[in-house]
Amino acid sequence: MKPLLCCLGLAALLGPCLACPSTCSCSTKKNGRLLAECAYKDLQEVPKGLSSNVTILTLSANSIGWLGQGSFAEVPEVQSLWLGYNQIGVVEPGAFTLLAHLKNLDLSHNKIADFPWQDLRNLSGLQILKMNNNRLAGLPRDAFHSLKDLRSLWLNDNELTTLAEGTFDNLPSLSQLQIFNNPFNCSCKVFWLKKWTEKTSVSITKGGSTLCVAPSRLKGRAVMDIPDHFCIAPSVQLTYLSNLDNTVMYDGLTLTLHCSVAGSPLPEIRWKIQTSSRRVEINGPNVARDGNVKQSQERFLVFKNGTMAIPDFRKEDEGIYTCLAVNDVGMRDVSVNVALAGSENPAEDLLQDDPQASHLGGGSCYKGDEMDATGAGEKLVIVYHMPRESKSRSGGVVPQVHLWTLLLALGIVLCC
């Protein structure tokens, strides 16, 4: 009787450790890890009845097509999870969040197009991630940023056409990367990848197979061989346009700024205006060829050639005007701080406002005056002279405004 009771007691103790679905084979390895071998069983889903202390779960080469939020709830201790060569097309958010001890995850050779990347935030101990031979068309920039221990990342043979700059940042342990056999569109959006591979110590497996599919001029060429002159970061220059000598204006001052840009591809021009009462962003021209304003920002007229005009410029329009040049390689910006003042003697008035300015005699600027990008926030003071009102022949008052324009940059008068 005693031997029977001992056997029953031992079975009760070991039973939970050795719980195993009939379709799987479970065993304890020499290192004490519990292996659940469920490969090549034509399984349609993750089997139920697995022991809670399984550390290695092999589900490769089955017919699993779906992973739900609770698919691995029974195996929270699993460290290696092999799911390659299935039919997985749907992965619900939360499917992997409970697997905090996971070190190896193989999802290769499936049909995954959408993946809950937020699940990876809880897998900080992950060392190997295989997602090759799926249908991934894009990745969030921060998809892998929580994986500080990640050593090997397989993304080859997917449908990736581009990768966001910084995708492989914050991966201090990464030593192997596979991204070949993806249909990369080698626009300048992936130019950063070339620069990154030139300086990284990460081994890029079969880098010669990381080829461009588009544009046509680069088709078949390695991503790492994109010519430097195809992709040049933006440069930007801000100019105050003035040609106001002896000008008489009857409808107030029109402030005109011109933004000149260069780069490859040609950068887009955007404007940001910050005044004391509002903040305005204008992404592209808002004045059509016929002169109609396409957007609701009628106060700020932006033209296709990079010029912005503010008719009837008033004190409430004072503030910081920023021109941004943006292309696929990067962004540059330059700003000017615009202030407005009025006086019967504009030069003296300006000197009172800024004692560092040199005294200037009469005159006005005919050429555009540059605002160098390194001087973001340079001060542009527009001082205008409004003489006494003169009467017309009919006895009415004609409001004349003779404009004098003086530019201040870092305490130096830039234009005479």
Side-chain angles (χ1 to χ4, degrees):
M1 189 69 175
K2 276 188 177 182
L4 179 60
L5 291 175
C6 289
C7 290
L8 290 174
L10 184 62
L13 289 173
L14 295 179
C17 299
L18 299 177
C20 191
S22 59
T23 53
C24 303
S25 173
C26 302
S27 61
T28 303
K29 311 297 285 185
K30 290 182 179 180
N31 56 11
R33 295 181 180 178
L34 185 61
L35 166 66
E37 176 64 66
C38 311
Y40 297 95
K41 302 296 183 181
D42 197 29
L43 297 173
Q44 306 294 313
E45 60 182 13
V46 178
K48 302 295 183 183
L50 289 164
S51 174
S52 61
N53 56 355
V54 166
T55 54
I56 304 172
L57 177 57
T58 302
L59 291 164
S60 305
N62 281 292
S63 300
I64 299 172
W66 167 86
L67 296 176
Q69 188 172 1
S71 292
F72 304 105
E74 292 182 341
V75 288
E77 303 295 323
V78 71
Q79 297 179 19
S80 297
L81 179 57
W82 310 110
L83 287 158
Y85 293 92
N86 274 280
Q87 302 294 320
I88 300 171
V90 176
V91 182
E92 287 187 355
F96 299 103
T97 52
L98 297 178
L99 307 183
H101 303 284
L102 199 60
K103 294 182 178 180
N104 306 304
L105 176 59
D106 181 7
L107 288 163
S108 64
H109 296 272
N110 279 287
K111 300 178 180 180
I112 300 172
D114 295 310
F115 185 79
W117 300 104
Q118 64 273 16
D119 279 18
L120 298 183
R121 296 173 188 170
N122 293 334
L123 310 185
S124 57
L126 200 63
Q127 297 177 8
I128 298 175
L129 177 59
K130 295 184 177 182
M131 301 194 73
N132 54 293
N133 295 86
N134 275 285
R135 299 175 181 176
L136 298 173
L139 303 171
R141 181 181 181 275
D142 60 350
F144 311 114
H145 281 194
S146 62
L147 307 181
K148 304 302 181 183
D149 294 334
L150 190 67
R151 300 196 314 259
S152 182
L153 177 59
W154 299 35
L155 294 170
N156 54 285
D157 293 276
N158 274 285
E159 298 177 8
L160 299 172
T161 58
T162 189
L163 289 169
E165 184 172 359
T167 297
F168 307 121
D169 290 351
N170 302 315
L171 297 176
S173 302
L174 189 66
S175 59
Q176 181 190 29
L177 174 65
Q178 296 191 174
I179 54 173
F180 58 89
N181 290 346
N182 278 289
F184 283 112
N185 181 345
C186 292
S187 69
C188 292
K189 290 182 179 179
V190 297
F191 187 66
W192 71 270
L193 184 59
K194 172 188 174 176
K195 295 299 183 183
W196 180 79
T197 57
E198 291 173 351
K199 63 182 180 180
T200 186
S201 60
V202 177
S203 174
I204 314 295
T205 307
K206 294 185 179 180
S209 298
T210 309
L211 304 179
C212 305
V213 172
S216 56
R217 61 181 177 175
L218 294 176
K219 186 175 182 179
R221 194 164 183 169
V223 173
M224 289 55 173
D225 292 335
I226 300 174
D228 288 354
H229 67 271
F230 281 6
C231 303
I232 302 173
S235 61
V236 59
Q237 191 176 80
L238 188 58
T239 305
Y240 174 72
L241 298 180
S242 58
N243 187 7
L244 305 172
D245 190 34
N246 297 322
T247 300
V248 177
M249 303 181 68
Y250 296 95
D251 55 354
L253 167 67
T254 296
L255 174 67
T256 307
L257 300 173
H258 181 72
C259 189
S260 301
V261 299
S264 180
L266 186 65
E268 297 178 0
I269 296 176
R270 304 173 186 173
W271 290 91
K272 290 185 178 180
I273 301 107
Q274 177 69 63
T275 69
S276 60
S277 60
R278 57 179 165 172
R279 183 182 181 89
V280 178
E281 295 188 11
I282 304 175
N283 297 323
N286 61 7
V287 179
R289 290 183 177 181
D290 58 7
N292 291 325
V293 180
K294 292 187 287 188
Q295 300 176 7
S296 60
Q297 304 295 347
E298 292 87 356
R299 290 287 301 129
F300 308 101
L301 307 179
V302 177
F303 299 86
K304 189 176 182 180
N305 67 350
T307 297
M308 179 172 66
I310 304 98
D312 192 21
F313 192 85
R314 302 186 287 263
K315 290 289 288 185
E316 55 263 35
D317 296 322
E318 291 181 331
I320 299 174
Y321 288 73
T322 302
C323 172
L324 300 94
V326 182
N327 69 6
D328 291 341
V329 187
M331 181 187 74
R332 288 290 302 277
D333 65 81
V334 60
S335 300
V336 61
N337 191 346
V338 182
L340 184 65
S343 171
E344 293 187 3
N345 192 334
E348 291 183 3
D349 180 86
L350 180 59
L351 288 172
Q352 291 175 4
D353 289 342
D354 193 329
Q356 298 184 51
S358 302
H359 178 76
L360 298 177
S364 62
C365 300
Y366 285 87
K367 62 181 180 179
D369 296 287
E370 297 177 2
M371 306 296 174
D372 183 36
T374 59
E378 288 179 350
K379 189 176 183 182
L380 167 61
V381 178
I382 304 172
V383 182
Y384 62 94
H385 176 208
M386 183 178 294
R388 293 186 179 91
E389 296 171 340
S390 58
K391 293 183 178 181
S392 66
R393 292 180 181 176
S394 61
V397 175
V398 180
Q400 295 183 340
V401 180
H402 294 276
L403 300 176
W404 297 68
T405 304
L406 301 174
L407 302 179
L408 290 183
L410 304 177
I412 301 174
V413 178
L414 297 180
C415 180
C416 60

